[in-house]
């Protein structure tokens, strides 16, 4: 659901600086960062008024939401241009009125994930039970751990570790340790064939899953 | 989604104590609390081994998930009985292996809500944009604010106020103040005809809502 990962602002600044000269003045620059904010690179672009964050979600064509997040120096017509551009590529534009590290959906998603992982890491509930609770109430076809398998454990662990450090949140540290157990045993998610579930036919797709008929580990 | 509200443990204790004598020994007592934990009243029931939390979600027949949360003194066969009972009334049982004030789904839901309300309270995004982001990514037919309108603003404000005090969380205090604005102007949610949306035809049901064609306030 999220492509967020610890990102390197210096690398982004260097790339933008390099593209400024060859590009015409009218060209709008955007960045798909999901944890950094555009004012961190605006001056490096050489065109701060024609620069904003344009943040996509994964999988990009089904989770077709894009955050449009200007920085204080973005020209209002550039924000309008990006809001109008999004639907032309099949995306739903979300206007962030202020810079915010968590963007829109990700703020909510990361908070939900922190609690989902905490339930399992603290042995309050099984992974499958957390997903069944989420799926049963929301009627979504997948729960938090099924989604995490799609993002990939390595990425999730890196994000969790990054925010654990940034926020000094002891629960996030426990969560990171819990996730590390999966990474260390090669259970990285769907791509590796196993994560919280085994692929290609994860238990949560089973018609009996919600009722609780599934093999528990 | 949640019927949680600040609850009175003393009242619950008194009620359980009163029912102990007239009920046969075999009767199992349960409690539908969603913020308190069963060990807080176990002794008052007179039958701590035949007592556990059985926590439903709203609307109860569609969000058909029930948390089964024993306390350390609950007999294992009573937990099994409750896990087996749930499907007989059309509910999906979720087994909480330890007592936890947030239960399963509610832990995740409250965390997601805190961020959703914070986005609006901090004027980072419009209520409608927060819901569009959530609905666009998850494909749920309703977003956090649409759901809050169903719970009712009074209840949500009480819960938020309760947890703001319990946790000393300054963002929850801001959220509570933001919600109070709606309560004070009578916009209590679906039941009152207006909340974040106007009823009976809320904007989020409009086919153009996701694309951003809706009247903004």
């Amino acid at each position: 659901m999220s492509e967020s990962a610890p990102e390197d602002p210096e690398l982004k600044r260097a790339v933008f600086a390099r593209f400024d000269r060859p590009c015409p003045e009218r060209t709008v620059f955007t960045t798909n960062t999901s944890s950094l904010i555009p004012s961190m690179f605006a001056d490096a672009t050489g065109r701060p008024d024609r620069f904003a964050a344009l943040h996509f979600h994964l999988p990009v064509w089904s989770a077709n939401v894009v955050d449009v997040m200007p920085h204080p120096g973005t020209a209002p017509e550039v924000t309008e241009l990006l809001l109008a551009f999004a639907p032309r590529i099949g995306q739903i534009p979300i206007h962030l009125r202020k810079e915010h590290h968590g963007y829109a959906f990700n703020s909510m998603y990361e908070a939900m994930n922190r609690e989902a992982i905490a339930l399992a890491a603290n042995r309050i509930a099984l992974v499958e039970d957390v997903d069944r609770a989420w799926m049963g109430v929301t009627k979504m076809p997948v729960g938090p751990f099924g989604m995490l398998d799609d993002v990939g454990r390595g990425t999730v662990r890196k994000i969790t570790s990054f925010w654990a450090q940034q926020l000094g949140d002891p629960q996030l540290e426990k969560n990171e340790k819990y996730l590390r157990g999966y990474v260390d045993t090669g259970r990285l998610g769907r791509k590796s064939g196993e994560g919280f579930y085994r692929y290609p036919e994860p238990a949560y797709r089973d018609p009996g899953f919600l009722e609780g008929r599934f093999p528990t580990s």
Side-chain angles (χ1 to χ4, degrees), chain A residues 126-186:
Chain A
L126 298 180
V127 160
E128 291 85 352
D129 282 342
V130 173
D131 277 1
R132 290 168 65 238
W134 186 264
M135 293 162 70
V137 176
T138 66
K139 307 304 175 199
M140 279 174 66
V142 59
F145 288 102
M147 290 188 258
L148 285 171
D149 268 354
D150 286 341
V151 177
R153 195 73 59 262
T155 305
V156 174
R157 200 185 66 80
K158 269 186 239 160
I159 301 168
T160 306
S161 168
F162 173 77
W163 286 110
Q165 285 186 349
Q166 292 284 316
L167 305 172
D169 177 341
Q171 185 56 56
L172 279 178
E173 281 166 30
K174 277 191 212 171
N175 287 0
E176 195 271 336
K177 198 176 160 189
Y178 174 77
L179 296 171
R180 204 188 307 150
Y182 281 85
V183 174
D184 291 349
T185 51

Side-chain angles (χ1 to χ4, degrees), chain A residues 67-78:
Chain A
D67 294 320
V68 175
M69 190 163 80
H71 67 93
T74 307
E77 60 269 27
V78 169

Side-chain angles (χ1 to χ4, degrees), chain A residues 48-61:
Chain A
D49 58 321
R50 302 185 75 69
F51 176 66
L54 191 67
H55 170 239
F56 292 82
H57 297 75
L58 290 178
V60 75
W61 300 118

Side-chain angles (χ1 to χ4, degrees), chain A residues 12 27 44 56 61 94 97 99 130 136 140 155 198 203 212:
Chain A
K12 282 188 187 278
T27 307
F56 292 82
W61 300 118
I94 304 298
R97 316 279 159 153
E99 289 192 303
V130 173
M140 279 174 66
T155 305
R198 288 198 194 136

Side-chain angles (χ1 to χ4, degrees), chain A residues 30-47:
Chain A
T30 65
T31 175
N32 187 35
T33 174
S34 61
S35 58
L36 307 174
I37 54 177
S39 59
M40 296 169 78
F41 341 102
D43 63 324
T45 65
R47 55 187 78 209

